[in-house]
Amino acid sequence: MKKLTIAAALACAIAAAAPARAEITVCTWGTITGPDALVNGMTYGTRDYLEYLNQTQGGIAGNKLKVLMLDGRYKLDEELKIYRRCADQEQAVVINGWSTGASKALRDQIQEDGIPFISESFASEVLDPQKYPYTFIAGPTYEQQIIIALRDLAARGGKKVVLMYSDNEYGRGPVNVVRQSGVIEKLGLEVADLVEYRYDAQDVTAQMLRIKGKNPDLVYVQGSTPQLLVALRDAAKVGLPAKLFMGNLYNISPAIPEQLGAAADGFRAVQTYAFYGDDIPAMKEIEDYAKKNEVEKKDIYFIKGWLKGKVIAAAIGNAIKKNGGQVPADLKAFRKSVRDEMEALKDFDDGGITPPFTYADHQGSVQARIAEIKNGKYTPLGAWINAR
Amino acid sequence: MTKRSFLVALALAIGFAVVGFESGRFWAYLVYSVAIASIGALSLNILIGYCGQITFAQGALIGVGAYGAGIAGNAGWGAASLLVGAVCSALVSLLIGLPALRLRGLYFAISTLAAQFILNYLFKILQPLTNGVSGLVVKPLMLFGRPANDEQYAVICVGLLFLSWLVLTRIIQTNVGRAFLVVRESELVARGMGVDVARAKIQAFLLSGFFAGLCGGLIAFTSRLANPEAFEIGLSVDQTAMIIVGGLGSLGGSIIGAGFVTLLPEAIERLGELLPSADLISAFREMAFGILIILFLLLEPRGIVALARRIFARRGAAARTNLPDRASYGSGAISAQNGRKA
Amino acid sequence: MTLEVRDLSIRFGGVAAVTNMSLDVNAREIVGLIGPNGAGKTTFINCIAGVAQPDTGAASWNGRAILGLSPADLLRLGVARTFQSVVSLHDLTVLDLVKLGAAAHARRGRGFLSQFFGSDKAVDEEICESLLAPLNLVDVANSPIQTLSYGQRKSVDLARALACEPQLLYLDEPVAGLTFQEGLNMGAVIRSVRDRFGCSVVMVEHKMDVVMSTCDRIVVMAHGARIFEGTPAETQKDAEVRRVYLGDA
């Protein structure tokens, strides 16, 4: 009896909380609270762009958007639960998910449900337009970010590169893929050394001494920001300049110049989207949105979120246009049509966040610039480099 | 177990299975999440609540079951993989439990903490078996020639929970289970009564490990991914919270606690969506468990079940001799003549 | 059917707890072991109950050496004991505990599968009739032990020890903590247990009135050694006993 009462009480609480169905529902979940919340601007940006459409254009083709932003807390079970809520209860047309793990766990389910799904992951294993036609990502994979860095080195006339990476999947996986692809040799570069270190290492001085002996032109670090902080600190100790080091998109963090001060000057990272505050059309929209709303995350990750919002809106808009200006009555058909339109986006102009791209490959732009820390601020250098 | 409690449990199981099958995938997910967590909580309660062996390795042990079942499932063992996972966990649980034959209380608990971290590390480095940090993608369980869906999982998990509860309830009512309780209270007295303390502990670890493994296997198949991050110490903490909130040494309480701990974040989340101060609510959600556990430990260490019993007893249920209220018993005629001498 | 203990000694660190203690118990005899606090009575019982290992000495039950055997081994030989302090055993009911006690006995102990699948009804009834009724515990047979009074818990412990049908029973302060009337009742119960089950009893006890009315023979210990042995009447008369124990200086 007690069990029943509690279940009934919870059922009432949840049922009462279930909202009425809106016209077009888009779900986006991320780590609102949790270990990788530092980069959750990616989730806020998407929500804010779609809200911006609601406020300025009354949604898409006159249909209001209902945007749900949910907290997956970087927990697999939580993300799996949210997916079911979005797909089933909320009847979302498009879902924007978060982790690599959840994207992998859900990949068969997503195909079966036929829901266009944009993953926040940059891992190549969730990307396969043939096998997983409903799954998209938004930007260059980790491997491609490494290749962009190598191209930049080759263009500047460098030769010797050290690849440094943590001893987990995030570290090892992409480095192995790049090495086996033969791209390094094709660019006329040479791997001076491979340095693996523990993902939670607190001191890498020994590794830095080893790297110093190799006298490389570039040290590419495939690691998270805390790992970069340790690496750059110990590099300075043995007299290796930050200028020698390069990281990926996730190493564009104010923590690096803040904590290391002048020692971080010259550190470079692969910048796959425009910075918040850059002089681009998309930024004008954000400033417009910010007049009436508070923008909570003012960083490059928010810009990525804004980009995904634009992609989702364009695909939904085209699907409605194809259906004679009406929202398709059948949700399944609507989802399929949105997927098709997403894949069909050609020379898509995202307002300067990236160069125009085609989404047939399910990842969009695979270009990036190199950003360098100058006087404590990340500053883009030169033009966009294509990973392909 | 009385006939009445059996029938009530059966009715509840059928009820929840129907809810899980008929109310869409989200509800199906909630139903089987609670059922799976409950099997884990039952397993942990056998060890901590009944046998008194405090362990922090439950999360990793569930992980062993998940990997065991996942690997067997990918090799084509089908539903039998659940059994493989359960047996793997039982054996690992036995290994974790061996120090308990020498160490007691906190010292043993610390050795289980070490086991938790070692196992989690093994999940990450045994690349060929576990696929390392990127996690093992598990093939779906086939049912009637198709991959099982959420609704079918809800029925399967509730069914297995019912069976687990039934088996454990029976075992608790044999001398094997009685010995657990005596060992929990005093190993010295247990020995004096002729109870083989070492054997009782080994049995408790095997039994608990088996059901932890079943829980893990179900996690692997329903989530389709066995991932080291899912079996960290946080899972041990969640499971412990379930049995503290539900009631240490109560099988029914384990299930109530599992439901409570699994559904509370969702309930708070939905509540937060209704109210304007969503941020505040979501911050509260993070604290809710901590506050809840402290409250229960301070006010009702034996959980919701004891709370309910107290309320029940106060409502004029004094006639129920099998659940007497301590206070009312003390004022009865017996204590007048049996008053304890100082 | 006799217990023979010869020259048993045990030291804890530098303290001699029991020194050259000897004791004989005949079939169906109730022997009281008395003495002031710290006389070594409980330590002595622990030595012959498989809990403590004496340094020197010998003990045999029916001609079989028993020193070094575990409590479980002793139970199989028909030697059972009760405990001085009764712990609260969580949710175990009176019947649960008695059944656990019975498990040590070959006839009453049942296989796991028969317990798992079978009904306990017949066993419960048998226990109620043969063990709980004589100890006035039938009414509380299904109550958790923690809800019982102290005196009842002592009776439950006795029932638990009797469940394996012992031929030798050690009772460690069966009356301590009970009221005067309860104590006298317990004494009567012990005698009736002896008559009913035909076992020998060694009881350690402080309460002289109960000891005098219950025991056939009394052994007095002081400072870890035996100082007197005799019938209750002789014991009361003995000057040395009165000096060290009864406080007649």
Side-chain angles (χ1 to χ4, degrees):
Chain A
M1 278 323 285
K2 281 148 262 172
K3 266 180 260 181
L4 212 56
T5 324
I6 288 165
L10 271 169
C12 290
I14 292 175
R21 244 186 84 184
E23 192 72 281
I24 301 174
T25 306
V26 175
C27 262
T28 172
W29 86 72
T31 301
I32 307 306
T33 56
D36 55 354
L38 266 178
V39 296
N40 65 15
M42 300 194 281
T43 308
Y44 283 87
T46 304
R47 177 196 67 177
D48 286 1
Y49 179 75
L50 297 173
E51 284 299 339
Y52 174 67
L53 287 186
N54 272 342
Q55 289 175 12
T56 56
Q57 303 171 22
I60 298 174
N63 301 288
K64 271 258 178 219
L65 293 162
K66 186 187 159 199
V67 191
L68 269 152
M69 187 172 89
L70 300 166
D71 186 2
R73 296 194 278 158
Y74 200 67
K75 286 181 78 177
L76 183 62
D77 53 351
E78 203 67 26
E79 293 190 57
L80 298 183
K81 180 171 76 188
I82 289 176
Y83 172 79
R84 281 159 176 93
R85 175 176 169 189
C86 296
D88 192 48
Q89 277 198 317
E90 309 289 354
Q91 309 261 290
V93 176
V94 179
I95 297 175
N96 176 204
W98 185 263
S99 71
T100 305
S103 307
K104 261 173 23 183
L106 286 168
R107 61 192 183 192
D108 292 342
Q109 190 102 58
I110 290 165
Q111 305 324 309
E112 204 173 307
D113 296 338
I115 302 178
F117 181 87
I118 304 182
S119 170
E120 221 64 87
S121 171
F122 288 112
S124 53
E125 52 189 328
V126 301
L127 182 72
D128 187 335
Q130 266 72 51
K131 256 166 96 182
Y132 309 114
Y134 280 87
T135 305
F136 296 80
I137 70 169
T141 61
Y142 296 125
E143 292 86 341
Q144 289 168 331
Q145 295 182 39
I146 299 177
I147 291 169
I148 288 166
L150 295 176
R151 278 186 203 276
D152 171 65
L153 175 68
R156 287 187 290 114
K159 185 132 184 73
K160 280 157 68 177
V161 60
V162 169
L163 295 170
M164 186 172 171
Y165 50 94
S166 51
D167 64 346
N168 55 16
E169 178 70 14
Y170 168 67
R172 277 181 199 153
V175 169
N176 280 339
V177 172
V178 170
R179 282 182 55 216
Q180 281 157 17
S181 71
V183 83
I184 301 175
E185 294 72 25
K186 236 180 270 167
L187 287 167
L189 302 175
E190 161 200 346
V191 177
D193 204 356
L194 294 166
V195 179
E196 185 172 300
Y197 61 99
R198 270 188 59 77
Y199 74 99
D200 57 354
Q202 294 304 310
D203 186 298
V204 291
T205 312
Q207 286 92 330
M208 288 302 158
L209 284 168
R210 187 168 128 189
I211 290 170
K212 196 176 182 187
K214 304 281 179 183
N215 198 19
D217 301 312
L218 172 74
V219 181
Y220 188 89
V221 187
Q222 173 75 11
S224 64
T225 292
Q227 291 158 359
L228 248 304
L229 285 169
V230 172
L232 291 176
R233 181 199 67 197
D234 293 347
K237 250 192 255 172
V238 306
L240 285 170
K243 210 174 157 41
L244 213 52
F245 290 82
M246 198 186 292
N248 69 20
L249 171 72
Y250 285 136
N251 307 128
I252 298 182
S253 160
I256 292 177
E258 268 166 28
Q259 292 194 23
L260 296 172
D265 256 26
F267 171 70
R268 286 165 297 159
V270 177
Q271 179 204 345
T272 52
Y273 316 99
F275 282 128
Y276 191 95
D278 277 1
D279 184 19
I280 51 169
M283 199 59 220
K284 299 275 178 302
E285 297 167 349
I286 296 172
E287 278 157 10
D288 193 24
Y289 177 74
K291 277 178 198 153
K292 278 189 233 152
N293 306 276
E294 192 198 338
V295 175
E296 291 176 63
K297 310 279 165 175
K298 296 181 172 141
D299 52 27
I300 189 169
Y301 309 112
F302 182 85
I303 298 290
K304 182 195 178 189
W306 199 263
L307 158 68
K308 286 179 297 155
K310 279 171 166 292
V311 168
I312 292 168
I316 293 176
N318 290 347
I320 293 173
K321 222 180 283 164
K322 276 255 169 78
N323 199 41
Q326 295 294 313
V327 173
D330 177 35
L331 182 66
K332 206 161 170 68
F334 191 18
R335 284 169 172 169
K336 168 132 188 15
S337 167
V338 169
R339 185 214 83 91
D340 294 344
E341 294 306 322
M342 210 176 262
E343 200 175 67
L345 289 176
K346 236 182 136 122
D347 297 321
F348 182 69
D349 177 11
D350 58 15
I353 293 173
T354 66
F357 62 82
T358 297
Y359 218 18
D361 55 6
H362 285 219
Q363 64 174 141
S365 164
V366 290
Q367 304 193 48
R369 289 184 291 194
I370 305 298
E372 181 180 320
I373 299 181
K374 285 181 175 166
N375 300 319
K377 219 174 158 297
Y378 286 91
T379 317
L381 306 170
W384 294 91
I385 303 169
N386 198 317
R388 294 220 176 91
Chain B
M1 169 182 46
T2 61
K3 202 171 236 168
R4 191 170 143 268
S5 63
F6 174 79
L7 290 176
V8 168
L10 185 65
L12 280 172
I14 293 173
F16 278 111
V18 168
V19 168
F21 198 74
E22 294 290 340
S23 314
R25 281 165 56 197
F26 179 74
W27 280 98
Y29 182 84
L30 290 187
V31 166
Y32 73 63
S33 297
V34 172
I36 294 171
S38 299
I39 294 175
L42 285 176
S43 127
L44 189 62
N45 219 336
I46 288 293
L47 206 55
I48 297 183
Y50 284 88
C51 200
Q53 307 301 304
I54 294 172
T55 172
F56 294 122
Q58 178 77 353
L61 214 49
I62 290 174
V64 170
Y67 279 108
I71 292 165
N74 286 354
W77 285 55
S81 339
L82 288 173
L83 207 62
V84 174
V87 170
C88 290
S89 282
L91 295 177
V92 174
S93 175
L94 181 65
L95 284 179
I96 295 174
L98 284 180
L101 305 182
R102 293 243 151 190
L103 302 176
R104 263 182 229 160
L106 198 59
Y107 296 100
F108 172 68
I110 287 169
S111 84
T112 65
L113 197 60
Q116 164 73 38
F117 287 114
I118 291 168
L119 282 171
N120 208 271
Y121 187 62
L122 288 177
F123 296 157
K124 287 179 188 163
I125 62 163
L126 292 179
Q127 192 93 20
L129 276 177
T130 64
N131 201 26
V133 274
S134 91
L136 182 74
V137 177
V138 181
K139 283 189 199 155
L141 203 60
M142 300 304 280
L143 213 64
F144 310 120
R146 298 198 66 241
N149 60 30
D150 287 337
E151 287 87 346
Q152 290 164 333
Y153 275 130
V155 175
I156 293 171
C157 294
V158 170
L160 286 174
L161 169 61
F162 178 71
L163 275 181
S164 307
W165 173 83
L166 197 64
V167 167
L168 290 173
T169 305
R170 285 307 301 170
I171 290 179
I172 287 310
Q173 287 165 347
T174 67
N175 285 327
V176 172
R178 294 181 190 117
F180 293 169
L181 279 171
V182 181
V183 168
R184 176 203 140 115
E185 290 306 315
S186 163
E187 287 187 23
L188 214 67
V189 168
R191 237 172 69 77
M193 284 182 184
V195 169
D196 187 336
V197 174
R199 196 175 68 177
K201 285 182 181 178
I202 285 172
Q203 284 168 337
F205 278 102
L206 280 173
L207 195 62
S208 166
F210 184 88
F211 286 98
L214 181 61
C215 163
L218 289 171
I219 289 177
F221 281 116
T222 54
S223 74
R224 303 281 317 278
L225 186 72
N227 185 343
E229 284 170 10
F231 307 115
E232 281 172 359
I233 185 86
L235 181 59
S236 304
V237 173
D238 280 356
Q239 288 261 308
T240 312
M242 290 172 195
I243 62 171
I244 289 175
V245 169
L248 285 170
S250 159
L251 293 178
S254 315
I255 300 172
I256 296 172
F260 205 82
V261 170
T262 310
L263 297 179
L264 188 71
E266 185 67 16
I268 294 175
E269 170 105 31
R270 297 289 177 126
L271 208 64
E273 284 169 24
L274 283 184
L275 303 172
S277 51
D279 288 355
L280 198 75
I281 295 278
S282 101
F284 171 72
R285 187 189 54 198
E286 297 300 312
M287 293 186 294
F289 282 132
I291 294 171
L292 209 67
I293 291 174
I294 291 169
L295 281 180
F296 268 103
L297 283 176
L298 282 178
L299 303 175
E300 187 50 81
R302 300 207 40 205
I304 292 176
V305 165
L307 203 67
R309 274 187 195 171
R310 266 223 308 251
I311 295 167
F312 219 58
R314 218 165 275 165
R315 283 197 193 143
R320 288 163 55 99
T321 46
N322 58 340
L323 289 176
D325 190 39
R326 241 178 280 181
S328 74
Y329 213 92
S331 63
I334 299 163
S335 75
Q337 75 170 234
N338 285 0
R340 196 193 292 199
K341 202 184 116 187
Chain C
M1 288 301 193
T2 55
L3 173 72
E4 291 178 20
V5 184
R6 290 286 170 271
D7 297 326
L8 193 142
S9 300
I10 184 169
R11 301 176 72 88
F12 294 117
V15 183
V18 176
T19 313
N20 290 334
M21 180 70 187
S22 296
L23 179 72
D24 287 307
V25 180
N26 300 318
R28 300 176 69 91
E29 188 182 24
I30 301 178
V31 174
L33 194 56
I34 64 170
N37 275 332
K41 306 178 302 274
T42 293
T43 305
F44 175 70
I45 290 288
N46 280 345
C47 285
I48 55 176
V51 176
Q53 179 67 45
D55 300 324
T56 57
S60 67
W61 165 241
N62 291 341
R64 217 188 130 159
I66 56 167
L67 291 185
L69 295 183
S70 74
D73 296 333
L74 288 171
L75 277 166
R76 277 187 282 275
L77 295 177
V79 181
R81 74 171 296 182
T82 66
F83 296 93
Q84 192 179 105
S85 55
V86 183
V87 287
S88 157
L89 285 166
H90 201 59
D91 282 336
L92 280 182
T93 65
V94 172
L95 273 171
D96 280 333
L97 192 67
V98 174
K99 277 185 252 185
L100 192 57
H105 186 265
R107 187 174 65 77
R108 276 218 175 94
R110 294 190 298 152
F112 173 74
L113 288 179
S114 97
Q115 294 179 61
F116 185 86
F117 290 108
S119 161
D120 276 2
K121 213 166 165 224
V123 179
D124 289 356
E125 276 169 11
E126 201 239 305
I127 287 174
C128 279
E129 194 188 325
S130 65
L131 292 169
L132 300 188
L135 293 167
N136 275 328
L137 290 170
V138 175
D139 290 346
V140 292
N142 282 307
S143 300
I145 292 160
Q146 61 186 6
T147 62
L148 303 186
S149 73
Y150 194 74
Q152 283 174 313
R153 288 188 208 176
K154 290 240 158 194
S155 299
V156 173
D157 198 29
L158 182 56
R160 192 263 314 150
L162 289 173
C164 59
E165 299 184 4
Q167 289 150 335
L168 174 62
L169 189 59
Y170 303 138
L171 303 177
D172 197 354
E173 303 206 7
V175 188
L178 303 191
T179 60
F180 176 73
Q181 188 55 45
E182 278 180 322
L184 289 183
N185 289 347
M186 182 59 95
V189 164
I190 292 167
R191 288 192 77 88
S192 78
V193 159
R194 188 266 312 267
D195 298 340
R196 227 180 153 105
F197 295 92
C199 57
S200 311
V201 176
V202 177
M203 66 182 270
V204 169
E205 190 45 73
H206 271 296
K207 291 209 174 156
M208 291 308 292
D209 39 18
V210 176
V211 173
M212 295 302 163
S213 62
T214 310
C215 298
D216 302 322
R217 191 154 53 90
I218 289 174
V219 173
V220 185
M221 281 180 82
H223 306 298
R226 180 172 60 180
I227 58 165
F228 180 82
E229 185 176 343
T231 63
E234 290 163 1
T235 309
Q236 272 174 314
K237 275 186 229 140
D238 186 82
E240 173 71 359
V241 173
R242 296 179 77 91
R243 195 181 64 73
V244 301
Y245 191 55
L246 300 177
D248 275 19

